[in-house]
């Protein structure tokens, strides 16, 4: 089956001035299968959000190809239909989506807006029914319909943002640190919702986070980024059992675990990222497990 | 004198348009010399306000209603701002989640640390500068002589947090409040800052009150753990007691929502609902409303702190002799092989 998303040799280089270009994403290749949760981890500035924004077409890419459901969406000659399909069927949730909700709109309007823009429903009743349905899916009730964002807690606002992005039934949701600012218990509620959407409705997810325990819990596969480069990619179990790149090792061994005995006796792998050249070949070392083998 | 800080029946409230908010409610707590005491709980539970009260950095619309704050044997509850200035930074310091709340973006790092030293130490500027470089070295800034003259924007988030720590340690405080100091940092940087805090604690012998909502971080750094809910401490004990033998249903809830304690593909058990707004809180166990183990007594009366061991206490009616036996639902056992779901 064609993957839902196929990213090939993506480069996103920001030209700041004549002497400075930031290779925010440099030659990154991965694909996301239908119904899969694909995790992306890496330090701040490693290019995670830039991948997300490039996929969404927020800015033109420097080079490479991006295919959505088998159709190229990155080039100059993308047909209107394909562009519209991508705009409808790929949705993003940011860390501060909750803060970005229009304060003068009621919850129902916020959720309806993308459906109106995409003209998904001709019929008002159908749209009303859909709003009720998604409110329920994200664990909100009819009581919240008429509220303004300021009348809701942070966790509830994030649910509204999620409701808005799932309302038009996208095929792919890109969640860029969607729970970073929330409490553990609310994080758990939202992650449970993602699991449900994935299992029951076969949504595909790209889940970007710096909390490794959550990425591990949710993702089928994980891509590790460092300084714009993909350094390792593999199935979650494989990556955690058998990390190969020294940065991956350092990252996994730094993630704290709620077990005092384990934590206090734990040895961390150190890796000096200033030594990272990024030059090398992304090599398949075992089926589905890729590592940047540095020169 | 083994305690660097004693809070006795401390209550703090805010005035707000909606009414009086009882943010900290009757908190009694000791901080031992040289220990790391972690304070955990969801946001809005009163962790920051409790720290601010000792620093006397409470917002203007709040006040201490009752109780005592005893810092290193001295009752500072009613200290004036003038008196506080003598001890703030010297006896007790604080670092925050965002280092830029402390740092001035336009002044070189070294100068900011030197100034912090000169506030409490009658030494020459030259000596203060020497000490600032020593501090930068202590907190792991490479090439401190060169970096001394750089402004904060030349530093990464982790380095800035190190500089803030240097400022906080400038006058050898006995007690450091660290309010979510690593929450915004990358995990590899976070790990280094946690190790640094422990190293500094060992070298300088100070006590640290470490506020966090990350149970992983707390496992790493804490000697003791206080769990806070709705302005109250609901469980306190050594890190082993709280993690391997938790007794309060709220502690169970926090642990069950952590992905490391659940198998992949399994279900996180989140605590339903949210912490309450503390306007006219009823005189009962405030967690009862979210607690599936709640009994009639929980809605009627505030549970006292039940003693489990000399060091372990929890405020839940489940510990009353008349209560039914309820098994802790979280399966974290001491000396288990590293848990199934664990990293
Ligand atoms: N629009 C932009 N213009 C210039 N540089 C950018 C832009 N967006 C991101 N960058 C840079 O690209 C790099 C990667 O950033 P980002 O993708 O946001 O990382 P992450 O999400 O992993 O923290 C950083 O060095 C960042 O400063
Ligand atoms: N400036 C303020 N004005 C009014 N209420 C406040 C203010 N700061 C804190 N509070 C109240 O105090 C409670 C505890 O806040 P805080 O100590 O910041 O929580 P935590 O640090 O545990 O997240 C909050 O739930 C809020 O109701
Ligand atoms: Mg980002
Ligand atoms: Mg706080």
């Amino acid at each position: 089956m064609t993957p839902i998303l196929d990213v090939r040799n993506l480069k996103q280089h920001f030209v700041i001035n004549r002497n400075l270009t930031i290779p925010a994403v440099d030659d990154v290749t991965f694909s996301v299968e239908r119904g899969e949760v694909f995790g992306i981890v890496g330090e701040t500035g490693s290019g995670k959000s830039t991948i997300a924004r490039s996929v969404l077409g927020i800015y033109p890419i420097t080079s490479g190809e991006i295919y959505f459901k088998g159709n190229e969406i990155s080039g100059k000659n993308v047909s209107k239909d394909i562009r519209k399909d991508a705009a409808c069927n790929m949705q993003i949730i940011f860390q501060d989506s909750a803060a970005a909700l229009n304060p003068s709109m009621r919850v129902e309007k916020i959720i309806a807006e993308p459906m109106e823009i995409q003209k998904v429903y001709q019929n008002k009743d159908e749209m009303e029914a859909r709003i009720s349905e998604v409110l329920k899916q994200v664990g909100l009730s009819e009581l919240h319909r008429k509220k303004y964002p300021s009348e809701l807690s942070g966790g509830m606002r994030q649910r509204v943002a999620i409701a808005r992005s799932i309302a038009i039934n996208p095929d792919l949701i890109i969640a860029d640190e969607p729970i970073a600012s929330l409490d553990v218990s609310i994080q758990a509620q939202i992650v449970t919702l993602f699991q449900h959407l994935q299992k029951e409705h076969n949504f595909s997810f790209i889940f970007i986070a710096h909390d490794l325990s959550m990425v591990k819990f949710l993702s089928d596969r994980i891509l590790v980024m460092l300084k714009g480069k993909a350094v390792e990619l593999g199935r979650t179990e494989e990556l955690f059992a058998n990390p190969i790149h020294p940065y991956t090792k350092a990252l996994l061994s730094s993630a704290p675990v709620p077990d005092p005995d384990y934590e206090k006796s734990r040895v961390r792998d150190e890796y000096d990222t200033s030594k990272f050249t990024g030059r090398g070949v992304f090599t398949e070392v075992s089926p589905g497990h890729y590592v940047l083998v540095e020169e | 004198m083994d305690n660097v800080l004693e809070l006795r029946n401390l209550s703090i409230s805010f005035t707000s348009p909606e009414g009086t908010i009882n943010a900290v409610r009757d908190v009694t707590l000791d901080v031992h010399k040289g220990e790391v005491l972690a304070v955990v709980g969801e946001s809005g539970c009163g962790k920051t306000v409790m720290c601010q009260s000792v620093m006397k950095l409470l917002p203007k619309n709040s006040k201490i209603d009752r109780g005592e704050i005893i810092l290193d044997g001295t009752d500072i509850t009613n200290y004036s701002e003038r008196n506080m200035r003598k001890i703030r930074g010297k006896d007790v310091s604080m670092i925050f989640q965002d280092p830029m709340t402390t740092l001035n973006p336009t002044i070189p790092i070294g100068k900011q640390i030197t100034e912090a030293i000169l506030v409490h130490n009658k030494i020459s500027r030259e000596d203060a500068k020497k000490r600032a470089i020593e501090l930068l070295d202590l907190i792991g800034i490479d090439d401190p002589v060169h970096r001394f003259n750089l402004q904060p924007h030349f530093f990464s988030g982790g380095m800035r947090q190190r500089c803030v720590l240097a400022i906080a340690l400038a006058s050898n405080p006995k007690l450091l409040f660290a309010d979510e100091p690593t929450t915004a940092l990358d995990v590899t940087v976070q790990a280094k800052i946690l190790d640094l805090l422990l190293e500094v604690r060992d070298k300088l012998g100070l006590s640290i009150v470490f506020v966090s909502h990350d149970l992983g971080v707390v496992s790493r750094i804490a000697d003791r753990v206080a769990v806070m809910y709705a302005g109250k401490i609901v469980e306190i004990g050594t890190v082993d007691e709280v993690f391997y033998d938790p007794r309060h249903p709220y502690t169970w809830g926090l642990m069950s929502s952590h992905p490391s304690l659940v198998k992949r593909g399994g279900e996180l058990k989140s605590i339903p609902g949210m912490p309450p707004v503390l306007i006219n809180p009823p005189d009962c166990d405030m967690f009862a409303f979210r607690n599936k183990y709640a009994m009639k007594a929980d809605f009627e009366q505030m549970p006292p702190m039940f003693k489990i061991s000399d060091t372990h206490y929890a405020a839940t009616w489940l510990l009353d002799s008349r209560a039914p036996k309820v098994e802790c639902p979280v399966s974290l056992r001491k000396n288990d092989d590293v848990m199934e779901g664990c990293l």
Side-chain angles (χ1 to χ4, degrees), chain A residues 14 16 22 24 42-51 53 59 176:
Chain A
F14 295 110
I16 305 297
I22 298 176
E43 62 182 17
T44 313
S46 59
K48 306 182 296 296
S49 296
T50 304
I51 291 178
R53 288 192 289 255
Y59 22 56
D176 189 359

Side-chain angles (χ1 to χ4, degrees), chain A residues 37 42-45 48 153-156 159 177 180-192 195 199 210-221 235-237 240 247 250-273, chain B residues 41-44 47 183-192 194-195 213-223 239-240 243-244 253-275 290 332-343:
Chain A
V37 181
E43 62 182 17
T44 313
K48 306 182 296 296
S153 69
M156 284 190 191
R159 283 160 192 251
E177 314 238 6
S181 55
L182 302 173
D183 267 316
V184 277
S185 54
I186 298 164
Q187 283 191 5
Q189 291 169 20
I190 287 174
V191 164
T192 304
Q195 277 180 309
K199 285 191 192 125
H210 79 255
D211 177 353
L212 275 164
S213 49
M214 211 48 111
V215 177
K216 180 186 183 194
F217 177 72
L218 204 57
S219 309
D220 300 301
R221 288 187 300 146
R235 296 206 67 76
T236 303
E237 291 79 7
F240 276 81
Y247 175 67
L251 190 66
L252 300 191
S253 72
S254 301
V257 167
D259 183 343
D261 280 353
Y262 179 68
E263 266 306 315
K264 282 174 182 159
S265 62
R266 193 161 176 204
V267 184
R268 297 192 196 292
D269 292 308
E270 298 255 347
Y271 178 67
D272 181 358
T273 54
Chain B
E42 288 161 287
S43 48
K47 307 181 297 294
T183 304
L185 302 175
D186 287 323
V187 282
T188 49
V189 180
Q190 164 172 280
K192 287 187 187 133
L194 294 179
D195 289 349
H213 65 262
D214 184 332
L215 295 176
V217 167
V218 169
S219 297
R220 175 81 186 175
I221 196 163
D223 300 312
V239 69
D240 277 13
F243 276 81
Y244 298 119
L254 288 178
M255 294 181 76
S256 317
S257 11
H258 201 289
S260 292
L261 299 178
V262 182
K263 262 194 198 170
R264 202 163 75 77
E267 202 156 314
L268 298 174
K269 297 195 182 51
S270 53
I271 310 171
M274 273 167 306
R290 302 169 70 190
L332 182 56
R333 299 263 185 282
K334 193 170 168 65
N335 302 326
D336 254 8
D337 291 337
V338 170
M339 306 142 285
E340 197 51 62
C342 182
L343 284 167

